[in-house]
Amino acid sequence: MSISENILAVRQKIAEAAARVNRDPAGIKLVAVTKTVEPEAMQDALTAGIQDFGENRVQELVRKQPYFNDWVTWHLIGHLQTNKVKQVIGRASLVHSLDRLNLARELSGAAQPTGLVIPVLLQVNISREDTKYGLAPEEVMDFVAEIASYPGLSIQGLMTMAPLAPDPEETRPVFRGLAEMAQRVKVRFPSLEIRWLSMGMSNDYEVAVEEGANLVRIGSGIFGPRN
Ligand SMILES: *Cc1c(COP(=O)(O)O)cnc(C)c1O
C-alpha cells in the first residue's frame, strides 16, 4: 500500500477504536514517526494530510527540518542527551521524552535566554522494562513537584512505550496505567495543563486509543518496515 493509503487506513482504525469507547476521533493527533524516512516520503505524508512529524534523534530532526515549511510540527520522541538540548529549543514543538532531573534543568536553562517555553511530556516506564527509558511510576509525583516551577518548561502530559507484545491486548494495562497516572497528576497539580497522553505505536495504537491516547506515534504503519 502507498503512504497515503496507509494513512487513510490508520485514521480509519483510530476512528473505529475511538467509536468503541465513545470518543471523538477529532481530538486524537496522529504523529507520523519519520526516523530513517527521507524527506521525499515525508512529503507524501504531508500531501496525505499529516501535520506532525516525530523524530527520535536530534541530528535527524535538524537535518530534515530545512526541507519543510514552518507549518509542520516536529515532535522529539526519543531519548534526549543533555549535550543536544540547545538544538531542540525552537525546533521541537513538543519533547515527549523528559525522563530525568538533569535534563529538565538543562532544558530550562537553555530555554530561558531565548524567551521560549518548551512544552514537555514526562516519559514514564509503566511496564518497568530494564531496556526502556522513563521515570518509574512512583517517581512521577515528586518529579512533577520539583520541575513544575522551572522557568522555560511547560509540563503538558505523559508518554509511555508499551512492551512489544504478540497480542496488542497485552499492552492494555500499560496504557491504562499511564491514563490513570495522568488523572492523578491533574488532581494533584490542578494549575498544570495536562492535555496529552502520548501512547500507541503501529502495533498497539488501537488499544492505546481505547485507553485514552490523544497523541499516537506511528512509523512503520505509515512508511513501511524500517531496515
Ligand atoms: C520508532 C518509534 C515509534 C514508532 O514505532 P512504529 O512501531 O514504527 O510505529 C513510536 N515512538 C517512539 C518513541 C519510537 O522511537
Side-chain angles (χ1 to χ4, degrees), residues 33 35 56 77-78 159 161 201-203 217-221 226:
V33 174
K35 61 188 182 204
N56 71 334
I77 61 173
M159 179 273 229
M161 293 174 80
M201 313 192 346
S202 297
N203 285 320
R217 311 178 309 266
I218 311 289
S220 51
R226 288 178 292 273

Side-chain angles (χ1 to χ4, degrees), residues 18-198:
R20 287 196 287 275
V21 292
N22 294 313
R23 294 184 59 200
D24 179 0
I28 301 167
K29 197 186 272 287
L30 172 56
V31 176
V33 174
T34 49
K35 61 188 182 204
T36 77
V37 177
E38 288 306 314
E40 195 183 355
M42 292 167 70
Q43 189 58 56
D44 290 348
L46 289 185
T47 306
I50 290 290
Q51 292 170 331
D52 294 75
F53 289 147
E55 289 285 349
N56 71 334
R57 290 171 62 245
V58 177
Q59 301 94 302
E60 206 172 331
L61 191 159
V62 170
R63 176 172 69 81
K64 293 180 197 167
Q65 203 160 43
Y67 289 90
F68 299 95
N69 289 327
D70 285 349
W71 42 261
V72 174
T73 300
W74 296 81
H75 299 248
L76 186 76
I77 61 173
H79 185 67
L80 176 54
Q81 293 168 276
T82 47
N83 64 359
K84 301 274 165 34
V85 157
K86 276 215 174 72
Q87 299 176 75
V88 167
I89 310 294
R91 286 202 172 91
S93 299
L94 186 61
V95 174
H96 293 228
S97 48
L98 178 55
D99 60 357
R100 58 201 192 282
L101 270 182
N102 75 325
L103 179 59
R105 276 191 220 107
E106 294 285 333
L107 278 167
S108 171
Q112 271 171 274
T114 69
L116 296 172
V117 173
I118 315 304
V120 295
L121 309 181
L122 309 189
Q123 183 171 354
V124 188
N125 188 2
I126 298 280
S127 58
R128 298 177 188 278
E129 283 173 284
D130 292 342
T131 53
K132 288 208 160 63
Y133 292 108
L135 298 161
E138 65 276 11
E139 294 173 331
V140 170
M141 290 298 173
D142 286 350
F143 189 86
V144 175
E146 167 70 22
I147 72 166
S149 61
Y150 285 17
L153 286 188
S154 166
I155 307 169
Q156 300 195 345
L158 304 180
M159 179 273 229
T160 200
M161 293 174 80
L164 194 60
D167 176 4
E169 192 57 39
E170 290 172 32
T171 63
R172 190 177 296 279
V174 173
F175 298 139
R176 188 164 293 178
L178 193 74
E180 287 170 357
M181 177 155 296
Q183 218 36 59
R184 290 200 295 277
V185 172
K186 278 184 193 173
V187 168
R188 174 107 174 257
F189 302 94
S191 63
L192 296 178
E193 286 193 49
I194 302 296
R195 66 186 87 176
W196 297 118
L197 263 185
S198 171

